[in-house]
Amino acid sequence: CIRLIKIHPPHELLFPNDYRAGVKELEIIYRAAEANGIPVMFHTGTSIFPGARNKYGDPIHLDDVAVDFPRLKILMAHGGRPLWMQTAFFLLRRHPNVYLDISGIPPKALLKYFPRLHEIANKTLFGTDWPGPGVPDIKQNLDDFRALPLPDAARERILETTALSIWPA
């Protein structure tokens, strides 16, 4: 059973909306995922790994996907960090089917990147991006997140409730 599909534009060297430019495979994936309730996660933001073309990580290209596939659950991995957090925030507020994954963002920098995080807690998921650069310890990441000055209800949504709304039990 497929629970999620991840697309990594900076390494696949395509924009998420390249179905509009003839990459029919993307449209096929999105239609199948939408029809079957399977979320699609997109790497947004930069990548330091060899071969990455970071222009493909700009989340603005998800705007077309959200418009053209309104029932597709779209997860923006990494919130567009470190260049496009404002774009990610805009897309979250514009589209009911777009969600934010905060993995790979050091919790201590999270409120700098998303100062209104509490407002989008119902569309935000905690993740670790472990193993990865900058994530030496999952428990420390979780402890640092729990120490943020967020309302308890927002913290609970980010750690649990949002994921349960995307993947109901």
Side-chain angles (χ1 to χ4, degrees):
C1 173
I2 297 173
R3 302 283 301 191
L4 176 119
I5 296 168
K6 182 164 184 186
I7 295 180
H8 201 297
H11 285 280
E12 293 170 355
L13 307 182
L14 51 73
F15 293 107
N17 61 349
D18 271 352
Y19 58 90
R20 298 175 59 84
V23 182
K24 293 293 182 192
E25 295 84 355
L26 286 174
E27 182 177 355
I28 291 166
I29 290 167
Y30 301 160
R31 288 206 186 286
E34 185 178 49
N36 291 286
I38 299 169
V40 178
M41 177 180 274
F42 296 86
H43 175 97
T44 64
T46 60
S47 173
I48 61 169
F49 295 107
R53 303 290 179 170
N54 287 304
K55 67 182 179 182
Y56 297 105
D58 186 342
I60 195 62
H61 303 283
L62 293 172
D63 189 53
D64 284 334
V65 180
V67 169
D68 294 340
F69 303 92
R71 292 182 336 275
L72 178 64
K73 294 175 184 175
I74 297 168
L75 282 71
M76 293 183 292
H78 322 305
R81 62 87 180 107
L83 303 176
W84 300 294
M85 292 83 65
Q86 290 179 340
T87 301
F89 187 78
F90 166 76
L91 292 172
L92 278 168
R93 297 184 71 220
R94 176 169 194 240
H95 299 290
N97 59 325
V98 174
Y99 297 84
L100 173 68
D101 158 71
I102 57 173
S103 68
I105 300 173
K108 291 179 180 181
L110 194 54
L111 294 179
K112 179 182 109 182
Y113 286 168
F114 294 99
R116 295 165 56 195
L117 183 64
H118 64 284
E119 293 178 23
I120 55 169
N122 64 324
K123 297 185 82 184
T124 303
L125 307 127
F126 180 81
T128 64
D129 208 27
W130 186 86
V135 187
D137 183 80
I138 295 172
K139 184 178 180 326
Q140 186 62 53
N141 242 30
L142 188 55
D143 289 346
D144 289 347
F145 175 78
R146 285 188 170 130
L148 292 175
L150 290 170
D152 289 341
R155 192 175 296 108
E156 182 179 335
R157 283 187 198 105
I158 293 168
L159 290 174
E160 182 178 346
T161 313
T162 300
L164 290 173
S165 74
I166 295 170
W167 294 280

